[in-house]
Amino acid sequence: MNPGASVRYASMETGTDNLVLWAESFGVPLNAVACLSQCQLNCLGLSIHFFRGLTPGSPFSFLLIDDPVQAMDDDHCQSLIHQVLTELLNRGLQLVICSHVQGVVDGIWDTYYACQPLRLRISEFRQTGPVIEEAETLRQAVQRSQALAAGNEDNRRFAVKVVRRCVELLIRA
């Protein structure tokens, strides 16, 4: 979180069955849940989750991160992808990241493509279980960009990003 912000995280009180987070707003201590934004609480929750996995002697060699960046939180998206994930990978952790935000998935895929990440798409939950597919092929990405190009302005902007990613994948291949 931004240490220069007028509303920021201040402290934590731990107990055997609870955790109380305190924030500070213009020098006044307040309950963090009541005064931090969703994005700030999300960042704070991630930092506590990372702390558990990074503690020396921790038996965990991986982190499972579910929806690390909220759909409306563009400010933290690039920071997570380029700084936080790089630091976690440099510490030798295996990362399992689940997200419904296509921009986050594509950003991680593009940034860490050289590491050969496994990318799966889980869809169509059936009585027998979900349908799990490998990442889209170049042909599927081109078809998706064509379908997006026929949509509204946001979809057309996203289609340009998909085409750019297709060209990068083609060059890498």
Side-chain angles (χ1 to χ4, degrees):
M1 294 192 312
N2 179 3
S6 58
V7 178
R8 62 183 185 83
Y9 166 76
S11 64
M12 176 183 344
E13 293 177 14
T14 59
T16 56
D17 61 349
N18 68 346
L19 177 72
V20 179
L21 302 172
W22 292 97
E24 192 173 276
S25 177
F26 300 101
V28 177
L30 299 166
N31 186 304
V33 175
C35 68
L36 293 179
S37 71
Q38 279 187 314
C39 297
Q40 289 171 322
L41 284 171
N42 192 44
C43 289
L44 184 57
L46 280 172
S47 64
I48 292 169
H49 179 64
F50 292 162
F51 178 72
R52 290 187 324 170
L54 297 172
T55 301
S58 171
F60 306 109
S61 60
F62 71 94
L63 281 174
L64 171 63
I65 307 169
D66 184 26
D67 273 333
V69 178
Q70 298 171 347
M72 74 277 191
D73 191 10
D74 293 333
D75 294 339
H76 294 109
C77 182
Q78 292 305 314
S79 176
L80 174 91
I81 292 171
H82 295 285
Q83 294 174 340
V84 175
L85 297 184
T86 298
E87 179 64 28
L88 294 172
L89 289 170
N90 288 342
R91 290 177 180 250
L93 290 172
Q94 179 182 9
L95 302 178
V96 178
I97 303 169
C98 304
S99 182
H100 70 281
V101 181
Q102 191 66 44
V104 172
V105 173
D106 288 345
I108 293 170
W109 178 259
D110 292 343
T111 303
Y112 299 100
Y113 184 80
C115 299
Q116 298 180 340
L118 178 61
R119 179 178 173 184
L120 301 174
R121 182 174 183 268
I122 301 172
S123 63
E124 297 182 39
F125 290 94
R126 299 179 181 164
Q127 200 169 24
T128 57
V131 174
I132 301 175
E133 306 165 326
E134 292 251 359
E136 67 185 354
T137 64
L138 188 58
R139 177 180 304 218
Q140 290 168 331
V142 169
Q143 290 171 346
R144 185 164 61 102
S145 68
Q146 289 172 334
L148 286 168
N152 62 20
E153 186 176 337
D154 287 337
N155 285 347
R156 288 191 299 272
R157 272 195 231 114
F158 191 64
V160 171
K161 291 180 182 180
V162 171
V163 169
R164 181 179 297 127
R165 191 171 64 79
C166 289
V167 172
E168 290 172 0
L169 290 173
L170 185 61
I171 291 169
R172 289 175 183 164

